[in-house]
Amino acid sequence: MSEGLSHVLVRDHPWTEPLEVAVGIGGADGALALLSDGGPGGRWSHLATGPDRVHVGEVEADLFGPLRDPAWGAGTVGLAAYDAGARPATGARTPVWPDLILARYPSLLSFDHHRHRVRAIGRGRDPAEAEAAADRAAAWLVAARPAPPSTEPPAEGFAAEAPEQAYRQAVAEVVARIAAGELFQANIARGWNGTLKPEADPFDVFLRLQQGRASSYGAFWRVGDLALVSNSPELFLAFDGVGGRIEARPIKGTRARSSDPVEDAALAAELRASAKDRAENLMIVDLMRNDLARVSRAGSVAVDRLFAVESHPTVHHLVSTVVGRADPGVTPADLLAASFPPGSITGAPKHQAMKVIADLEPPRGAWCGSLFILEEGGGLTASVLIRTASFERIDGRWRFRTLAGAGIVADSDPEAELAETEAKISALRRALTA
């Protein structure tokens, strides 16, 4: 076991816009920005840099086993790749992203959007270390500055990895496999890639994505030559380690938004009433209930909200909320192991859906994995990495890959599912290429 940071100092500070603090910190190695839009689904934002402990690599057995080391306590941020979680179903595949990335941040700023207060948190092996770490975090507030005006598009291009017809055919194949009784639903994705201009980096993409398109679980994170930019609206798991409450908010069901208010309202109403989308959502709700039941007290798993329409800058989504009360002794590692990968981006039954996905897609990497932060008292907040681009610096240039998918069910129409992927990728496409 490794040494943890047992001393914690928390200081309150007046409100400062987290995006302005993120601009002051910048996008150098180790920079972290977990930015919420401050809406009902995203109360907290977190900012940090300068991790004192980092893990990047493959995990042979228990994907979340490293989190059982107490050294990875509160202030730890992690990213679990989709393919690592799917491996029990798919077998070994050529990795395109590390299984697990972890970084521990002794200095952290946490922004409470509801109370408009900022907490500077310092952690250390003794009180003096914790105080120095809290001072470092507070200094980032002083360096805050407004986000620069939107600049030239940072990407040189945005190329589809396969023709549109290949996606239509994949959807048709899944529909046929559902008709044959092989499964009920699978989330099938298509990908795009490209290279940033020599003078651009992933932080530029993040800033463009934040302006006018902020989400509940927006993120920028850079670890060495890897970086992630996310505009995810989806909560995978929230866990209150003290009270034991677990919450998941799976998304299933989408409509593109319209600039015409009347048409936009009609599209939201159509989504709310759609039997197909409600059935698609309900399958995943049942799947998440099953996953949470593995680590919850008997009879505590329930559906708190069903088929709610949430509106985002480019799409309307159908969202449900599943809750549970954890068994005594359950840890974030236990909860993640019981539920990962997220059911909303696999399908039902989950194991078979992941096999079908592997038949039709190359490895996903970070996309549709999860980005999470460990909190005081054994708590956890984890997002689903949709609306996400992963970056790798090769020979001095940043190359990116991003995907968008749709849940395929028995009555899916290939053309409609293709259109759904276009709606979902639109914000990232604009951030990269305008």
Side-chain angles (χ1 to χ4, degrees), residues 68 93 99 101 164 179 221 255 259 265 322 388 399 408 414 423:
R68 303 183 195 282
R93 308 182 78 198
D99 286 355
I101 302 175
E164 293 181 352
W221 195 24
R255 290 293 185 278
S259 58
V322 184
T388 296
R399 301 183 183 180
I408 312 307

Side-chain angles (χ1 to χ4, degrees), residues 139-400:
W140 301 332
L141 294 168
V142 178
R145 55 190 177 90
S150 187
T151 57
E152 289 294 312
E156 292 182 340
F158 192 83
E161 294 181 342
E164 293 181 352
Q165 184 56 24
Y167 187 76
R168 295 186 188 96
Q169 290 171 349
V171 171
E173 179 172 339
V174 173
V175 170
R177 293 170 82 159
I178 292 171
E182 189 175 334
L183 73 167
F184 302 110
Q185 180 182 164
N187 191 87
I188 302 300
R190 50 193 292 242
W192 296 262
N193 58 47
T195 303
L196 298 189
K197 296 173 181 176
E199 68 277 11
D201 67 30
F203 195 66
D204 299 325
V205 181
F206 170 71
L207 292 181
R208 286 173 60 88
L209 198 57
Q210 281 292 312
Q211 295 174 22
R213 292 184 289 270
S215 64
S216 298
Y217 301 98
F220 169 84
W221 195 24
R222 180 179 165 194
V223 179
D225 288 331
L226 300 174
L228 187 90
V229 172
S230 182
N231 200 40
S232 176
E234 184 169 1
L235 175 70
F236 175 30
L237 297 166
F239 178 45
D240 177 355
V242 177
R245 186 178 189 274
I246 306 169
E247 181 176 315
R249 290 202 293 269
I251 290 174
K252 265 287 161 258
T254 303
R255 290 293 185 278
R257 300 212 52 183
S258 170
S259 58
D260 181 317
V262 174
E263 184 180 10
D264 191 59
L267 288 165
E270 176 190 301
L271 175 61
R272 184 180 290 107
S274 167
K276 171 191 176 293
D277 290 287
R278 290 161 73 94
E280 187 180 331
N281 190 286
L282 187 59
M283 287 181 204
I284 303 307
V285 166
D286 286 342
L287 190 157
M288 292 303 301
R289 289 174 61 202
N290 181 68
D291 283 353
L292 297 191
R294 296 173 184 167
V295 290
S296 297
R297 297 179 183 180
S300 71
V301 177
V303 180
D304 193 53
R305 189 176 67 155
L306 192 63
F307 308 146
V309 172
E310 291 185 0
S311 298
H312 302 276
T314 59
V315 293
H316 299 292
H317 278 313
L318 206 58
V319 185
S320 294
T321 303
V322 184
V323 298
R325 188 70 59 180
D327 282 327
V330 164
T331 67
D334 299 327
L335 179 55
L336 286 164
S339 315
F340 189 78
S344 62
I345 48 74
T346 52
K350 181 188 274 190
H351 191 86
Q352 183 59 28
M354 290 189 292
K355 284 186 174 182
V356 172
I357 291 167
D359 288 345
L360 298 171
E361 294 181 30
R364 289 177 167 181
W367 187 78
C368 278
S370 181
L371 185 65
F372 57 87
I373 184 168
L374 303 185
E375 298 157 350
E376 291 293 345
L380 167 79
T381 299
S383 68
V384 181
L385 287 176
I386 55 174
R387 319 294 193 272
T388 296
S390 56
F391 297 79
E392 184 175 7
R393 190 167 61 176
I394 302 172
D395 298 329
R397 298 286 300 277
W398 287 101
R399 301 183 183 180
F400 70 85

Side-chain angles (χ1 to χ4, degrees), residues 5 32 34 52-53 67 69-79 101-106 108 123 221 372-375 379-381:
L5 303 179
L32 169 76
L34 305 178
D52 70 340
R53 193 166 186 254
L67 293 180
D69 182 340
W72 298 111
T76 294
V77 173
L79 195 168
I101 302 175
L102 298 173
R104 185 177 70 177
Y105 289 90
L108 184 76
R123 297 184 174 90
W221 195 24
F372 57 87
I373 184 168
L374 303 185
E375 298 157 350
L380 167 79
T381 299

Side-chain angles (χ1 to χ4, degrees), residues 45-60:
S45 291
H46 306 279
L47 294 170
T49 192
D52 70 340
R53 193 166 186 254
V54 175
H55 163 90
V56 180
E58 312 308 312
V59 180
E60 291 185 2

Side-chain angles (χ1 to χ4, degrees), residues 101-122:
I101 302 175
L102 298 173
R104 185 177 70 177
Y105 289 90
S107 303
L108 184 76
L109 288 175
S110 293
F111 299 75
D112 185 340
H113 289 264
H114 292 185
R115 295 184 178 175
H116 259 224
R117 298 292 294 174
V118 184
R119 300 190 305 182
I121 304 169

